[in-house]
Amino acid sequence: MLRIATWNINSVRLRVDHVARFVAEATPDVLCLQEIKCTADQFPRAAFEAMGLPHLRVGGQKGWHGVAIASRRPIADGPPLDVCREGHARCVSAMVEGVEIQNFYIPAGGDVPDRKLNPKFDHKLDFYERLTAEMATRDRQRPLVLAGDFNIAPGENDVWNHRYMSKIVSHTPLEVETLRRLQAAGGFADVVREQIPEPVKLASWWSYRAADFRKSNRGLRLDHLWTSPGLTPAVAKGSARIHDDVRAWERPSDHAPVTMDLDV
């Protein structure tokens, strides 16, 4: 069994104790992190070795962005992807137990959902278009996981209010369509939503603006684990989980970890 977790940690150095606690409690074999907000040489490698995740691939950037994959099991380099036109550290890959893992921190897209008026939104859609073109060339039977903060909540029950959020970046019809094209290009399974079908409301992100995130309950499901057709049969039934309890920890990330198990 291979347990894979994805988590936008919002500064790995600031929250390394949170990571250690989560790893101890949830026992992931592979942890995909986003927004590590440090360069590769600043990454707290010793702490990850101590928590039993000594095998690392880190794509770092000073002060912003940054992604990492940490594993209990030996890892090899995965195929690199050139999908970020700005050269940000937003993608890192690895091979673990024969499974290719691509970990993404996809651009949020700013506030205005218009490609011509908002370069950040254009960058977000360009990132998706490049990734979609890449996935359309892949062998669907190759074991592949797409993980990370995709910054799009696709379904009506992946946002706290569909009508309101349809006008807000992260759930606009154009973004949802863009995400669906990527999913279709590789025949990917959205593991969490397949195991917890609609109309159940799901979220993995809640704004810091609310003192009590559960009370305000204005969440979005931005964090995803997708599997290729060749890997989807290996996903353990009932294993997908959003660890929303972690969002209630002291000084948390605004994202909760998401996990699934693979029978590989």
Side-chain angles (χ1 to χ4, degrees), residues 5-8 22 204 241-244 246-247 255-259:
T6 181
W7 191 7
N8 180 320
F22 172 71
S204 62
R241 179 183 170 189
I242 298 174
H243 298 255
D244 59 347
V246 174
R247 180 61 177 80
H255 293 254
V258 182
T259 57

Side-chain angles (χ1 to χ4, degrees), residues 117-187:
L117 297 177
N118 180 5
K120 291 183 178 180
F121 192 71
D122 182 63
H123 179 212
K124 180 177 190 173
L125 296 187
D126 182 79
F127 191 107
Y128 268 103
E129 288 161 359
R130 292 175 184 230
L131 183 55
T132 299
E134 168 67 27
M135 291 302 130
T137 70
R138 293 298 194 92
D139 176 1
R140 292 189 173 196
Q141 293 310 304
R142 180 183 176 92
L144 171 61
V145 173
L146 301 190
D149 179 359
F150 291 7
N151 264 313
I152 296 177
E156 293 189 14
N157 292 294
D158 297 325
V159 293
W160 63 276
N161 184 307
H162 169 62
R163 179 175 293 183
Y164 174 78
M165 288 301 303
S166 293
K167 301 174 184 178
I168 305 297
V169 172
S170 71
H171 187 62
T172 63
L174 177 56
E175 289 170 284
V176 171
E177 179 185 345
T178 298
L179 185 70
R180 296 299 187 200
R181 279 199 297 267
L182 171 60
Q183 187 174 10

Side-chain angles (χ1 to χ4, degrees), residues 235-253:
V235 179
K237 292 181 179 180
S239 67
R241 179 183 170 189
I242 298 174
H243 298 255
D244 59 347
D245 57 309
V246 174
R247 180 61 177 80
W249 293 355
E250 187 176 355
R251 297 186 68 194
S253 168

Side-chain angles (χ1 to χ4, degrees), residues 43-96:
F43 192 86
R45 294 174 180 268
F48 277 76
E49 291 173 2
M51 63 181 84
L53 299 174
H55 306 286
L56 298 167
R57 290 294 183 274
V58 181
Q61 184 173 342
K62 185 178 180 180
W64 298 94
H65 316 312
V67 283
I69 298 174
S71 175
R72 294 185 190 279
R73 306 183 192 183
I75 62 179
D77 291 338
L81 297 180
D82 182 17
V83 290
C84 181
R85 73 182 187 197
E86 305 296 333
H88 298 162
R90 293 185 177 273
C91 179
V92 68
S93 61
M95 299 293 302
V96 182

Side-chain angles (χ1 to χ4, degrees), residues 14-75:
L14 182 64
R15 296 189 171 85
V16 69
D17 290 344
H18 282 202
V19 178
R21 177 179 172 184
F22 172 71
V23 168
E25 293 181 2
T27 64
D29 298 291
V30 180
L31 176 59
C32 299
L33 295 173
Q34 305 87 41
E35 270 200 285
I36 62 173
K37 294 184 177 179
C38 67
T39 57
D41 63 304
Q42 295 170 328
F43 192 86
R45 294 174 180 268
F48 277 76
E49 291 173 2
M51 63 181 84
L53 299 174
H55 306 286
L56 298 167
R57 290 294 183 274
V58 181
Q61 184 173 342
K62 185 178 180 180
W64 298 94
H65 316 312
V67 283
I69 298 174
S71 175
R72 294 185 190 279
R73 306 183 192 183
I75 62 179

